[in-house]
Amino acid sequence: MSSTQEHDFSSTSADASLTTPTQASSLAKGDHILIQNQPCKIVSKTTSAPGKHGHAKISFVALSLLNSKKYTDICPAQHIVQVPIVTRKEYLVIDITAEGFLSLFDIHNPEVTKDDIRAPGVETEVGQRLSKLWEKATEGGEGEVWVVVLGTMGMEVVDAVKEGGKE
């Protein structure tokens, strides 16, 4: 005898999948890929010719979206790789706390401020630009400072800084 069970597949949790499977050969420079569990942006892709007994191989060089470290991976062209789901959102910087966190305003959700993203360090290009523009905006009273935040794999990082909505 078998018992019949009813399953409800109509909903899943919001973070049901942080990645999507994709064929390696379909990725290009500028696309995202997961290498060693790090969400990365591809900066270089080379494809070797098929060997006597094998398939063409693809070599990826990519930079981590989270810490800018360089990662490499080699896999067969027909191999299925994981591509992280990446979101991109712009926020207006309201404040930078003494602890180094950004206070951000979302124009699409004005009731809530976002206070859980750490400002990039001044040793990075993005951090230097943020520091310069923030100083100009607070001391000189000139312009607004906007940041572009990338969200992936349950984490968020500042990817770019804009002055008054301009790159």
Side-chain angles (χ1 to χ4, degrees):
M1 264 193 236
S2 67
S3 65
T4 57
Q5 296 179 5
E6 290 190 32
H7 298 282
D8 181 13
F9 295 107
S10 62
S11 66
T12 65
S13 67
D15 61 350
S17 179
L18 302 174
T19 62
T20 57
T22 305
Q23 189 169 337
S25 60
S26 70
L27 296 175
K29 181 179 175 180
D31 288 341
H32 297 110
I33 187 171
L34 196 66
I35 300 177
Q36 298 174 12
N37 288 326
Q38 283 288 318
C40 299
K41 185 173 188 174
I42 299 169
V43 294
S44 169
K45 173 188 169 186
T46 55
T47 305
S48 67
K52 183 177 178 183
H53 298 290
H55 299 284
K57 299 263 194 280
I58 297 178
S59 174
F60 293 105
V61 177
L63 296 177
S64 171
L65 297 174
L66 304 176
N67 59 25
S68 298
K69 286 185 181 178
K70 184 163 75 168
Y71 289 88
T72 60
D73 191 19
I74 298 173
C75 63
Q78 303 306 315
H79 187 72
I80 300 297
V81 296
Q82 295 300 313
V83 173
I85 296 171
V86 179
T87 60
R88 182 181 192 275
K89 196 163 187 181
E90 293 184 10
Y91 294 95
L92 175 65
V93 179
I94 300 170
D95 192 20
I96 301 176
T97 67
E99 296 82 24
F101 286 92
L102 300 173
S103 183
L104 305 173
F105 177 75
D106 180 0
I107 62 170
H108 301 292
N109 189 5
E111 295 85 31
V112 180
T113 59
K114 188 164 190 59
D115 301 309
D116 59 347
I117 297 179
R118 186 170 290 282
V122 293
E123 68 279 356
T124 67
E125 188 178 317
V126 173
Q128 290 171 7
R129 182 161 167 75
L130 175 62
S131 179
K132 178 182 167 189
L133 291 177
W134 182 248
E135 185 177 315
K136 181 179 172 184
T138 55
E139 292 179 8
E142 296 180 29
E144 300 173 331
V145 179
W146 291 78
V147 291
V148 176
V149 175
L150 294 182
T152 184
M153 308 290 291
M155 295 175 263
E156 294 178 306
V157 293
V158 175
D159 183 58
V161 181
K162 299 177 175 187
E163 180 178 13
K166 302 176 284 191
E167 291 264 355

